[in-house]
């Protein structure tokens, strides 16, 4: 980074500090991951220098011949990985991918959609009143059954019959259990709606059969590429051929201008990585690791939302502990364990405070950690949560975290 150090020492300094934070800490944020050096190289390449509005073979700018091949590689690999008929790899983010499907299927200011509420596991872009999606459409939201803390498809169906939405959205950011995509599509079919599955969090699990896939099951699948898919920050859409044209038009020119071609090339690279057998093993290990941490936390007397996990994340319910999600997040952060506060189904506090913590294993699994390390990490979390004001414990845990992290370097040659 010699040029950066010369041009902008302030940013260079921040980059160095962030590098140390990533190397020395444990990243347990469920939506995050660590990309390969190959992905990083393409992201930081001259592929960023060019406009390529349009699609391969139909660009609005000259000089796109190499971009066409790169985007085709990304699309073909995406289709192959998910067994999809059509892929659009241009959305700048997961939210943009969702926006494109809303634009393609609903009339702004008029049509109704149904989705999972943010406070019970859904995503902002699924119709939260503070998001464009909640301002532009009539939104009705479903939640989980408050007893089981899991989805109840009977309740979703009843609501759909009452609301008669144009689009039913499933998929979540903080739901530790399986999602029955087939059930959602059937509910949508029953009321003349279309169904969109947002698999942003579990895309890697769906691609490898660790979780049932939504592709070929629901009308539209949207995803991010930077969570369990372990690629650059971005979005993508999968659908059948019959919807290809309307989806592509909704993305460009409907919603975006020039695609981020350095990101699209990096998507191609991460998808090539995801097509290797080791990626299936990786996703299996993500779930095994989450289940191991869940077991350790349960043994330590903590309560988990829904009692456990089927996927890459778990939610700790702190409401019986007299501490908030915010306080727990800060204490763990000081011990080198990065997590995020999260609302729980029976939430009584504001989203800035919350009664829960969300914990995910994609990033630590990328570092090569397995069950033995999960035992240790679960125990460290439990120690901090036992008394978040015990400074001696926080210091001791931090030392253990640094020692553990140093045994699993993120980019060995960077250390
Ligand atoms: C992370 C996430 C997104 C949004 O991704 P961005 O790239 O941050 O816009 C969308 N939907 C769900 C369910 C997510 O978890």
């Amino acid at each position: 980074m010699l040029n950066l150090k010369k041009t902008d020492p302030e940013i260079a300094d921040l980059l160095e500090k962030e590098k140390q934070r990533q190397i020395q800490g444990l990243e347990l944020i469920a939506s995050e991951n660590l990309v390969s050096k190959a992905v990083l190289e393409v992201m930081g390449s001259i592929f960023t220098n060019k406009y390529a509005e349009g699609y391969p073979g139909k660009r609005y700018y000259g000089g796109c011949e190499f971009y066409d091949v790169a985007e085709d590689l990304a699309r073909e690999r995406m289709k192959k990985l998910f067994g999809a008929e059509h892929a659009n790899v241009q959305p700048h983010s997961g939210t943009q991918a969702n926006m494109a499907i809303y634009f393609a299927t609903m009339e702004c200011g008029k049509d109704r959609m149904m989705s999972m509420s943010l406070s019970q596991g859904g995503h902002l872009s699924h119709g939260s009143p503070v998001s464009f999606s909640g301002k532009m459409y009539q939104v009705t939201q479903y939640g989980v059954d408050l007893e089981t803390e899991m989805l109840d498809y009977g309740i979703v169906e009843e609501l759909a019959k009452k609301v008669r939405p144009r689009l039913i959205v499933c998929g979540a950011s903080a739901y530790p259990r399986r999602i029955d995509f087939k059930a959602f599509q059937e509910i949508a079919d029953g009321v003349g709606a279309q169904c969109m599955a947002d698999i942003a969090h579990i895309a890697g699990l769906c691609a490898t059969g660790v979780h049932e896939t939504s592709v070929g099951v629901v009308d539209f699948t949207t995803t991010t590429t930077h969570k369990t898919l372990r690629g650059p920050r971005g979005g993508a859409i999968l659908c059948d051929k019959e919807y290809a044209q309307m989806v592509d038009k909704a993305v460009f020119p409907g919603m975006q201008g020039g695609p981020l071609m350095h990101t699209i090339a990096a998507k191609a690279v991460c998808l090539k990585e995801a097509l290797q057998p080791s990626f299936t093993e990786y996703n299996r290990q993500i779930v095994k690791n989450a289940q191991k941490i869940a077991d350790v936390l349960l043994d330590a007397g903590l309560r988990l939302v829904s009692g456990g996990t089927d996927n890459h994340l778990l939610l700790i319910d702190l409401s019986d502990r007299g501490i908030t999600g915010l306080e727990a997040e800060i204490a763990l952060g000081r011990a080198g364990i990065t997590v995020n506060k999260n609302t729980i189904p029976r939430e009584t506090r504001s989203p800035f405070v919350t009664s829960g913590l969300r914990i995910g294993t994609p990033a630590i699994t990328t570092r090569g950690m397995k069950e033995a390390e999960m035992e240790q990490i679960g125990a460290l979390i439990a120690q901090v949560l036992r008394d978040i004001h015990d400074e001696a414990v926080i210091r001791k845990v931090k030392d253990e975290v640094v020692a553990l992290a140093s045994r699993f370097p993120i980019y060995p040659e960077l250390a």
Side-chain angles (χ1 to χ4, degrees), residues 31 92-96 98 121-123 125-126 171-173 198-201 224 226-227 233-235 358:
S31 50
H92 299 332
S93 71
T95 297
Q96 303 294 116
N98 291 343
H123 188 259
S125 64
H126 293 182
S173 301
D198 177 349
I199 61 168
H201 263 259
T224 57
H226 51 272
K227 297 179 185 175
R233 205 155 278 285
R358 188 180 68 162

